[in-house]
Amino acid sequence: MAGGHLAGHKSAAADLGAWLCWEDESGQGLRPPKGRTWGRRGHTPVVTVTGGHDTRVSLAALIAVRPGCRPRLIFRTHRARRSDKRKGFTETDYARFLDAAHQQLGGPVVLVWDNLNTHVSGAMRELIAARDWLTVFQLPSYASELNPVEPVWSNLKRSLANLVKRDVGQLTALVKTRLRRMQYMPGLLKGFLAKPGLDLSNFHN
């Protein structure tokens, strides 16, 4: 099944001369990921975390490939307000993100993402239909391992281990710095693409 889905995505992208993109979401709170560190023998290091409301930043990222081009990483951050009914990205947020990606990439987009309810809602289908440069495929259910954006989040979390920020503004700035660093590391992005075992030899130089 996975091979068939991948073949369809690649064929569609090749036929359209499009960028083949994978998208995924994550989030990070003020409580940092745990990681190994040094400490005095018999004294367990303690990380003090700031509590309170509004302590989480939502993240969305996509990896894009096209024959003859280096892989690209594009991301957005989102901070929900207390009055927001939905804390993560809305359909409108996704549409703005995809519009920005389309502008940066400068060509049609074949997008592959999971079956998150926001991705498959009626409102999202209407937004997709209104964009003739966008073709969307859904990943098979419970197949997150096929999405090369997953390793992006793993790499990000490792880089944030044991790092405490005072508030969500500082956290957001740190996350953006880490993701921007990845954008300028094509070898790392190729490693993310290779992680799921996808044959994309014709899609990046």
Side-chain angles (χ1 to χ4, degrees), residues 153-175:
W153 305 135
S154 297
N155 185 284
L156 174 65
K157 303 286 184 176
R158 286 196 300 271
S159 75
L160 299 176
N162 299 333
L163 295 179
V164 177
K165 289 302 174 183
R166 198 178 301 264
D167 55 46
V168 74
Q170 290 185 357
L171 173 64
T172 301
L174 177 61
V175 166

Side-chain angles (χ1 to χ4, degrees), residues 87-177:
K87 300 304 180 184
F89 288 82
T90 66
E91 288 88 347
T92 302
D93 293 327
Y94 283 122
R96 289 172 180 163
F97 178 34
L98 295 174
D99 287 341
H102 174 233
Q103 186 173 15
Q104 289 184 49
L105 296 172
V109 170
V110 172
L111 175 68
V112 184
W113 60 8
D114 60 23
N115 294 284
L116 185 71
N117 56 356
T118 320
H119 293 171
V120 298
S121 70
M124 193 72 244
R125 286 196 296 270
E126 291 180 6
L127 290 167
I128 292 169
R131 289 158 170 77
D132 58 5
W133 47 266
L134 178 62
T135 303
V136 176
F137 289 91
Q138 308 296 143
L139 280 168
S141 298
Y142 309 108
S144 60
E145 71 279 0
L146 297 178
N147 194 330
V149 184
E150 290 286 343
V152 173
W153 305 135
S154 297
N155 185 284
L156 174 65
K157 303 286 184 176
R158 286 196 300 271
S159 75
L160 299 176
N162 299 333
L163 295 179
V164 177
K165 289 302 174 183
R166 198 178 301 264
D167 55 46
V168 74
Q170 290 185 357
L171 173 64
T172 301
L174 177 61
V175 166
K176 287 182 176 180
T177 297

